């Protein structure tokens, strides 16, 4: 959860487990100056979801999070 636009972990999972492995990354931020667009950086390795995971309380007050 959360990638900061870095795809090293997702890439390693794909290489270790194989192409049949489906990887999903959740991050409420989708861009930064250092890594650019997160969805683009992760596209070869993971499905990017532009929302974070959190508690029900957090999700009820912040639409960028889901439980």
């Amino acid at each position: 959860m959360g990638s900061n636009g870095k795809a090293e972990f997702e890439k390693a999972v794909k290489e270790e487990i194989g192409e049949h492995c489906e990887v999903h990354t959740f991050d409420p931020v989708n861009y930064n100056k250092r890594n650019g667009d997160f969805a683009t950086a992760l596209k070869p390795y993971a499905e990017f979801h532009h929302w974070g995971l959190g508690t029900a309380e957090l999700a009820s007050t912040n639409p960028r999070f889901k439980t």
Side-chain angles (χ1 to χ4, degrees):
M1 292 176 270
S3 68
N4 202 28
K6 297 179 182 177
E8 291 89 353
F9 175 79
E10 290 83 350
K11 180 180 178 187
V13 169
K14 283 288 205 181
E15 289 174 351
E16 182 69 25
I17 298 175
E19 287 299 316
H20 65 279
C21 179
E22 190 174 305
V23 179
H24 293 258
T25 301
F26 304 88
D27 200 321
V29 177
N30 67 344
Y31 178 88
N32 68 32
K33 288 182 182 180
R34 180 189 301 160
N35 300 310
D37 180 65
F38 296 1
T40 301
L42 293 164
K43 188 171 185 167
Y45 315 109
E47 181 72 30
F48 179 74
H49 302 278
H50 184 205
W51 41 271
L53 300 175
T55 64
E57 182 181 5
L58 177 62
S60 71
T61 60
N62 188 331
R64 298 174 91 185
F65 288 85
K66 297 184 181 190
T67 58

